């Protein structure tokens, strides 16, 4: 019996294969525990440094759904200087006869930091679309920087129809796929034009939170709600190859109960984070709302607005302004009126970075080029243009540092506008049901 016991005892103490795994597991456990403790601490520390414009759900509820101005400024004042200057992504759209206007608008808003995508709809003849593509392809600066592209697929787009939203979402998807380094998306048409330089715009937005969405919006009420939401339209561009007017059906539908409807300007400046949400739709709400707006009149004036104001994560980021100067007749007609030299002072005093709409080659565009943009050659001048202007040469033919800006009077005007838009009083009205 003793022999047997001794035999087992000898094996128990001589076989030490368990020692290495045991101590290894202890070491891994201690390492994971320390990493968790210090990781939580460092994450908490980094979280305090982030330039967030969205508070936590508890803070959001306590603040009544919007930032207090002092808290908002404090959210980015401590660290924004360390962040890289912003980049913008532009969609410029046009139709038959708009190719030269699109190029002029592109050159006026061009900056090597930004991304640009052009869409000429299917109503334009193939030759015009080809000429636009070749003009971009053969441009020396565009070829060198590689930040301008023309959408290969031309879509048929109906005014006020869902095909406008479909085209915009397609452009956003291409921009997301082609470039990972832009912060805001801006949509312009061939009849839009800037009222300040890209240096002005980028300089001011360098000091702002990257979570702000500029989208004019109001909740639908009364007769507009009944007329627009209950009517059902069909966009012929979804299934025809030639453009025609929207078709109205005799059927009516009930109002949605799972989300509230908002409307506003179709011209927006949206964050990358928000448009990613619209494309990916991780909670399916963007897709649900998109399906609803597929039979909705003036869907470009409601889709993004309804998504952002019905999403807790983004509601507090909506700033009710489209950054455009637009003039309407009194009483307003279906379309805004064309801007002329008579509107020049009003455009400047609006402090908006863009205006619409302009007739082709209207003289007021030349005045904007001369007095507001300093545009004497193809591009609006900026700090990135380091070439010589001797004998009328184009200084933008030689590229400098695209992260350096030379802000001018436009930056001061835009700063005044953003100060107003970020005030506590203005932001308290975002996504509200005030009539």
């Amino acid at each position: 019996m003793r022999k047997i016991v001794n035999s087992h005892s000898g094996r128990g103490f001589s076989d030490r294969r368990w020692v290495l795994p045991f101590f290894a597991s202890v070491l891994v456990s201690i390492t994971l525990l320390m990493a968790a403790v210090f990781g939580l601490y460092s994450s908490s520390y980094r979280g305090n440094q982030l330039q967030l414009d969205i508070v936590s759900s508890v803070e959001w509820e306590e603040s009544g759904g919007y930032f207090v101005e002092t808290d908002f400024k404090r959210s980015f004042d401590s660290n924004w200087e360390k962040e890289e200057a912003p980049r913008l992504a532009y969609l410029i759209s046009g139709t038959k006869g708009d190719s030269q206007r699109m190029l002029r608008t592109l050159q006026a808003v061009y900056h090597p930091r930004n991304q640009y995508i052009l869409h000429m709809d299917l109503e334009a003849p193939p030759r015009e679309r080809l000429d636009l593509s070749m003009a971009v392809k053969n441009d020396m600066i565009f070829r060198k920087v590689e930040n301008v592209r023309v959408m290969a697929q031309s879509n048929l787009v109906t005014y006020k129809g869902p095909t406008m939203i479909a085209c915009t979402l397609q452009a956003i998807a291409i921009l997301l796929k082609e470039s990972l380094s832009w912060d805001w998306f801006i949509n312009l048409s061939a009849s839009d034009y800037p009222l300040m330089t890209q240096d002005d715009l980028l300089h001011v937005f360098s000091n702002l939170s990257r979570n702000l969405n500029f989208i004019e919006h109001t909740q639908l009420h009364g007769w507009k709600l009944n007329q627009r939401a209950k009517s059902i339209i069909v966009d012929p561009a979804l299934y025809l190859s030639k453009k025609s007017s929207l078709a109205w059906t005799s059927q009516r539908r009930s109002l949605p109960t799972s989300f509230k409807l908002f409307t506003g300007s179709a011209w927006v400046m949206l964050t990358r984070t928000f448009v990613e949400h619209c494309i990916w739709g991780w909670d399916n709400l963007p897709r649900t709302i998109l399906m609803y707006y597929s039979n909705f009149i003036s869907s470009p004036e409601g889709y993004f607005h309804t998504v952002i104001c019905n999403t807790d994560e983004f509601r507090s980021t909506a700033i009710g302004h489209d950054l455009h100067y637009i003039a309407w007749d009194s009483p307003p007609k279906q379309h805004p009126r064309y801007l002329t030299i008579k509107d020049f002072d009003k455009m400047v005093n609006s402090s908006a970075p863009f205006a619409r709409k302009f007739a082709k080659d209207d003289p007021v565009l030349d005045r904007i080029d001369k007095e507001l943009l300093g545009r004497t050659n193809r591009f609006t001048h900026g700090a990135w243009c380091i070439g010589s202007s001797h004998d009328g040469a184009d200084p933008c033919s030689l590229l400098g540092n695209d992260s350096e800006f030379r802000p001018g009077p436009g930056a001061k005007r835009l700063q005044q506008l953003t100060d107003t838009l970020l005030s506590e009083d203005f932001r308290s009205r975002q996504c509200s049901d005030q009539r």
Side-chain angles (χ1 to χ4, degrees):
M1 180 66 70
R2 181 183 302 172
K3 183 176 181 180
I4 295 175
V5 171
N6 288 342
S7 174
H8 281 282
S9 301
R11 273 202 309 272
F13 287 96
S14 62
D15 186 359
R16 301 179 181 278
R17 285 178 296 177
W18 58 274
V19 175
L20 183 59
F22 173 78
F23 280 106
S25 63
V26 171
L27 181 60
V28 170
S29 299
I30 295 174
T31 303
L32 291 175
L33 178 62
M34 297 295 289
V37 172
F38 287 102
L40 287 173
Y41 174 78
S42 60
S43 296
S44 175
Y45 175 77
R46 288 194 302 268
N48 292 333
Q49 301 300 315
L50 290 176
Q51 300 180 30
L52 295 179
D53 186 49
I54 309 175
V55 291
S56 67
S57 58
V58 175
E59 293 172 331
W60 190 86
E61 291 173 359
E62 291 177 351
S63 65
Y66 62 91
F67 257 105
V68 177
E69 177 68 4
T70 54
D71 292 337
F72 173 75
K73 287 186 175 180
R74 190 161 54 242
S75 69
F76 64 82
D77 282 348
S78 61
N79 197 42
W80 68 262
E81 292 181 339
K82 300 178 183 178
E83 193 168 4
E84 183 184 11
R87 300 175 187 269
L88 309 177
Y90 283 89
L91 164 64
I92 303 175
S93 57
T95 186
K96 180 180 179 180
D98 282 342
S99 58
Q100 292 304 312
R101 300 171 70 190
M102 293 172 67
L103 283 173
R104 180 170 185 169
T105 299
L106 168 64
Q107 292 168 353
V109 299
Y110 183 77
H111 194 284
R113 287 191 68 80
N114 299 336
Q115 295 290 324
Y116 301 87
I117 187 166
L118 280 64
H119 176 262
M120 176 162 280
D121 76 11
L122 201 57
E123 189 179 34
R127 183 65 194 179
E128 187 176 11
R129 296 199 302 271
L130 178 62
D131 289 345
L132 177 65
S133 298
M134 294 306 297
V136 170
K137 182 179 180 180
N138 295 331
D139 188 282
M140 178 184 66
I141 298 297
F142 298 161
R143 190 166 61 246
K144 183 175 182 179
V145 183
E146 297 182 332
N147 64 339
V148 181
R149 56 185 59 84
V150 177
M151 286 178 64
Q153 177 183 348
S154 291
N155 304 292
L156 196 60
V157 177
T158 306
Y159 173 70
K160 287 197 171 186
T163 43
M164 290 186 69
I165 287 294
C167 182
T168 301
L169 291 173
Q170 182 184 13
I172 291 172
I174 295 173
L175 288 165
L176 290 172
K177 178 182 178 181
E178 296 295 330
S179 175
L180 299 176
S181 57
W182 53 267
D183 302 282
W184 277 284
F185 167 79
I186 301 173
N187 62 333
L188 300 176
S189 73
S191 60
D192 289 62
Y193 213 67
L195 300 177
M196 57 187 61
T197 69
Q198 290 299 288
D199 275 18
D200 292 332
L201 190 60
L202 291 168
H203 170 75
V204 173
F205 275 80
S206 295
N207 304 335
L208 297 182
S209 166
R210 305 290 166 88
N211 292 305
L212 297 174
N213 289 279
F214 293 86
I215 176 169
E216 184 205 24
H217 59 276
T218 184
Q219 188 173 340
L220 270 177
H221 286 288
W223 67 269
K224 286 186 177 180
L225 182 63
N226 290 325
Q227 184 183 48
R228 292 191 178 185
K230 292 186 177 181
S231 299
I232 301 177
I233 61 97
V234 177
D235 189 341
L238 292 171
Y239 55 88
L240 296 179
S241 59
K242 291 187 178 180
K243 186 177 293 189
S244 59
S245 301
L246 295 174
W248 293 76
T249 68
S250 58
Q251 289 80 8
R252 304 277 286 177
R253 59 180 169 183
S254 58
L255 299 176
T257 57
S258 59
F259 52 86
K260 296 179 180 179
L261 297 176
F262 287 78
T263 187
S265 172
W267 312 104
V268 295
M269 182 173 184
L270 303 174
T271 64
R272 181 189 180 96
T273 306
F274 175 66
V275 296
E276 282 178 338
H277 174 63
C278 292
I279 295 295
W280 294 341
W282 52 80
D283 65 355
N284 207 42
L285 179 64
R287 281 188 290 270
T288 299
I289 294 177
L290 182 62
M291 293 176 66
Y292 177 82
Y293 273 96
S294 63
N295 299 110
F296 196 96
I297 185 68
S298 300
S299 53
E301 299 173 358
Y303 172 69
F304 289 119
H305 318 68
T306 299
V307 172
I308 200 168
C309 287
N310 284 275
T311 307
D312 290 343
E313 182 178 353
F314 297 105
R315 184 181 296 113
S316 63
T317 71
I319 307 299
H321 198 286
D322 62 3
L323 303 182
H324 273 69
Y325 175 81
I326 303 176
W328 297 87
D329 291 310
S330 182
K333 298 179 181 178
Q334 185 177 12
H335 300 279
R337 63 178 179 82
Y338 283 101
L339 301 173
T340 65
I341 289 288
K342 297 179 180 179
D343 300 292
F344 183 81
D345 291 337
K346 292 180 180 179
M347 286 188 282
V348 175
N349 293 333
S350 73
S351 299
F354 306 102
R356 71 182 316 271
K357 60 187 198 169
F358 296 95
K360 183 179 180 180
D361 295 328
D362 191 279
V364 69
L365 297 175
D366 295 330
R367 185 174 178 184
I368 292 173
D369 282 342
K370 180 180 179 180
E371 299 185 25
L372 302 183
L373 305 181
R375 182 170 175 254
T376 56
N377 299 93
R378 288 184 305 154
F379 302 117
T380 298
H381 290 183
W384 63 276
C385 305
I386 60 172
S388 172
S389 56
H390 184 66
D391 292 335
D394 184 4
C396 298
S397 60
L398 187 60
L399 292 124
N401 186 350
D402 65 14
S403 62
E404 294 182 359
F405 308 127
R406 189 184 301 124
K412 295 181 180 179
R413 298 196 306 272
L414 182 57
Q415 186 65 60
Q416 293 174 349
L417 176 62
T418 56
D419 287 345
T420 300
L421 298 180
L422 299 182
S423 66
E424 180 179 348
D425 178 64
F426 192 91
R427 298 200 69 187
S428 66
R429 301 192 297 269
Q430 61 197 21
C431 290
S432 67
D433 59 357
Q434 297 179 4
R435 307 186 186 189

